[in-house]
Amino acid sequence: MSILTVENLSKTYGNIQALKNVSFSVPEGTVFGILGPNGSGKTTTLGTITDILKPTSGSYQLFDEPPSANSRRRIGTLLETPNFYHYLSGVKNLEIAAEIKQHGKEDIDKVLETVDLTRRKDSKFSTYSLGMKQRLAIASCLLGNPSVLVFDEPTNGLDPVGIAEIRELMKKLYREGKTIIMASHLLDEVEKVCSHVAILKRGELITSGNVNEILSNEDIVEVSSADNKKLFEILQPLNGKTKVADENSVIKIFFPVGNADLASVNDFCFSQGVVLNHLILKKKSLEARFFELTNN
Ligand code: ATP
């Protein structure tokens, strides 16, 4: 099942075109990152699919059906930090949130446990660290047990510990079977947390799909030996399924992602009379791939 299918979505603000014919699909059970630099249209995309903004043209489906009040109830949304009461405790704030969202209070203990705030549930919100505040906001999203969560830049403004906690929490929610759709301008975050990605640039979709396939489409095996000239020669027959590039003191062999087998490379070279003194597997840098994708 597709959780969200976006079809030719466009949005203009006056003469600013924030989204241009964007189409992608979010499979069930994925962590789907919407990745792009500032101003690329991430928030506009999330605002549209959560019914805060009306698209100028195009449409989207939720759970393979036109969006409805029913389907929206299955989605928990965190687009900006909610206005919690500073002088009330975490648990009291969640009780108010449950009432506003017309959910019962029965989920509160469970969601506090999920976000690891049980111990501090009776402390005033004003005493929480930024990371704890964000976890309380996620707890509020989890009320009513939605199967899909939509987050806009969930780690923005947090310190490294807070960032790590939120990323761990997202992985935990994913393992529990939630589908997560999140906007991020951080490649590193998408690499660490997301299984799928849609890359936006100035409102246009550059590409979308599985993170490993999109951001890292090659495995690079680096080799060298005492006689790199001979090594380069013996590697030539590998051409066709691999590209062999002689670079300075190491030789790089490029394999399609997932196809590099270090033991076979080592065996092959040894069988041809060359002993390797350097053999490592390098993934193409995500950053390099991202810049390739976004710089035409
Ligand atoms: P950021 O990471 O900075 O939040 P973003 O990728 O989420 O950026 P959007 O906020 O969706 O991008 O903005 C896309 C474009 O639309 C930008 O050029 C932005 O200036 C413009 N824009 C967004 N909201 C409005 C608005 N209410 N009125 C006018 N222009 C807007």
Side-chain angles (χ1 to χ4, degrees), residues 29 86 120 270 276:
H86 287 231
R120 293 291 306 275
F270 193 73
L276 297 178

Side-chain angles (χ1 to χ4, degrees), residues 12 43 50 63 93 106 180 195 245 272:
T12 52
T43 303
T50 51
F63 310 101
N93 269 298
E106 60 278 358
I180 300 175
S195 58
Q272 303 295 311

Side-chain angles (χ1 to χ4, degrees), residues 119-241:
R119 262 184 332 113
R120 293 291 306 275
K121 67 177 186 175
D122 295 318
S123 305
K124 280 186 187 171
F125 180 76
S126 58
T127 67
Y128 283 8
S129 68
L130 279 180
M132 290 165 75
K133 288 175 177 168
Q134 186 66 338
R135 281 188 278 138
L136 189 71
I138 293 176
S140 169
C141 261
L142 293 172
L143 294 169
N145 194 23
S147 56
V148 180
L149 299 164
V150 177
F151 299 141
D152 194 4
E153 306 268 2
T155 60
N156 241 7
L158 302 183
D159 65 14
V161 174
I163 290 173
E165 284 169 356
I166 297 294
R167 289 181 183 168
E168 273 314 306
L169 175 56
M170 284 196 285
K171 287 186 204 167
K172 179 173 164 186
L173 293 168
Y174 164 68
R175 284 195 300 273
E176 286 176 5
K178 309 274 186 209
T179 301
I180 300 175
I181 303 171
M182 57 174 270
S184 178
H185 64 279
L186 302 170
L187 259 180
D188 174 54
E189 179 150 281
V190 169
E191 185 197 7
K192 288 195 169 117
V193 179
C194 298
S195 58
H196 289 67
V197 66
I199 299 181
L200 291 178
K201 181 188 174 190
R202 289 198 209 111
E204 287 185 80
L205 182 80
I206 306 289
T207 183
S208 72
N210 185 293
V211 168
N212 284 331
E213 285 163 19
I214 287 178
L215 291 181
S216 166
N217 64 348
E218 280 174 330
D219 287 343
I220 304 166
V221 175
E222 271 188 17
V223 289
S224 71
S225 73
D227 185 352
N228 266 358
K229 195 164 173 289
K230 180 164 181 204
L231 176 59
F232 186 69
E233 275 164 21
I234 65 152
L235 289 174
Q236 291 311 302
L238 288 182
N239 259 331
K241 45 179 178 166

